[in-house]
Amino acid sequence: MPSVPSVPPARRPPIRTAPGRSATSRALSALDAFDDGHRTLTLSAIARRAGLPVATAHRLVGELCGARLLHRRPDGRYEVGARVWQLGLLAPPTSLREAALPHLQDLVITTGRTVHLAVLEGPRALIVERLASSRTQSTRHSPGGYLPLHCTAVGKVLLAHAPPALCAEALRAPARYTDWTVTDPAVIRRQLAAIRAAGFAQTSQEHRRGTWSAAMPVTGPSGVVAALSVLAPLTAPRRADALSPLAAAAAALSATVLDLDLDGMTGEPAS
């Protein structure tokens, strides 16, 4: 079977400017110039990645530094400021992460595998937390990163319970990541129906060669708010033994989040 070109990890694309954009939109474009691969940037790099004139970028960056949303380092480069972190702590995924950490730690110890907790954010899965032990499968994905919905276990669980419109958007043109990625929307829809019936999802080498993953939903008062998964190499023995502790962790976390305000992270059941 012919090899498939590797697809880079999904990252939030920088917002590009357009004539007549508001000051707020331009400021957000400057902040969006930063991502996991660009943690520090020069002023000219911010302007280029944000699609801003250098003079506009200079003014906006100065204002963002004054508000502690950006920080100017001694070497003249800029990085995200501490105030962004402080504001981020108020977001629902942070509350979910704090509630989930003990359960994720127990799951890592019990299974010896990498675990992911992810939530739905548009047509992608946002990684809220990732934990691993010294003998688990390595992963490129860190908290704050994104995973595709159609070919990862956490993504399939979230997609199975997503609103119909979002599901349609995610399946409009599914990307191929490996030779085993399922890209036929009709086949994926049948998988999603099976996931809703079974209560869990499994994938094998669909997003990354040599790996297997399983995921289960985390439910709140209004429905599915997150997906919890374990990741293992295909060569690992007794992979299916992770399903029982995964189910216990998902159930325990679901009980824990009942008192959290996570309504903004809940999708309507798919039809």
Side-chain angles (χ1 to χ4, degrees):
M1 183 177 292
S3 61
V4 177
S6 61
V7 178
R11 287 179 179 160
R12 180 181 57 199
I15 298 175
R16 300 301 178 186
T17 61
R21 287 182 57 193
S22 68
T24 300
S25 178
R26 291 174 184 267
L28 287 174
S29 72
L31 291 173
D32 272 335
F34 296 85
D35 61 24
D36 193 50
H38 302 84
R39 292 175 178 247
T40 65
L41 293 169
T42 63
L43 177 63
S44 60
I46 294 173
R48 182 177 66 254
R49 287 177 53 79
L52 295 168
V54 173
T56 301
H58 182 269
R59 176 178 56 80
L60 288 173
V61 166
E63 293 175 355
L64 292 170
C65 285
R68 296 189 297 115
L69 297 173
L70 288 180
H71 171 70
R72 190 174 189 272
R73 293 152 45 105
D75 62 4
R77 298 173 69 88
Y78 294 89
E79 60 190 3
V80 174
R83 191 174 183 185
V84 173
W85 172 73
Q86 291 173 312
L87 292 171
L89 292 176
L90 305 177
T94 301
S95 298
L96 175 63
R97 175 187 174 275
E98 292 174 350
L101 270 174
H103 304 291
L104 269 60
Q105 291 164 346
D106 288 346
L107 188 57
V108 170
I109 293 171
T110 303
T111 64
R113 305 297 177 202
T114 296
V115 300
H116 281 150
L117 180 68
V119 299
L120 191 65
E121 186 177 274
R124 296 174 294 182
L126 171 65
I127 301 173
V128 175
E129 186 56 277
R130 177 208 64 186
L131 294 181
S133 75
S134 59
R135 60 189 179 93
T136 56
Q137 179 76 10
S138 63
T139 174
R140 300 183 297 266
H141 307 290
S142 301
Y146 291 99
L147 291 170
L149 295 177
H150 69 284
C151 62
T152 61
V154 289
K156 287 178 188 283
V157 165
L158 294 170
L159 193 58
H161 298 276
L166 192 150
C167 188
E169 179 183 358
L171 298 183
R172 186 170 294 118
R176 181 175 294 280
Y177 289 81
T178 73
D179 295 331
W180 296 271
T181 305
V182 179
T183 59
D184 185 335
V187 174
I188 297 173
R189 287 185 182 278
R190 289 196 292 271
Q191 290 181 340
L192 299 181
I195 290 166
R196 288 192 291 272
F200 70 96
Q202 293 187 74
T203 61
S204 180
Q205 302 194 99
E206 283 197 58
H207 185 236
R208 183 179 175 189
R209 293 173 183 270
T211 61
W212 167 91
S213 63
M216 294 185 180
V218 176
T219 58
S222 302
V224 173
V225 296
L228 179 62
S229 76
V230 292
L231 177 72
L234 286 179
T235 54
R238 304 166 65 92
R239 293 193 306 271
D241 287 357
L243 292 179
S244 179
L246 175 61
L253 180 52
S254 295
T256 301
V257 303
L258 286 177
D259 295 329
L260 299 181
D261 182 8
L262 303 175
D263 283 347
M265 297 160 50
T266 303
E268 302 166 1
S271 59

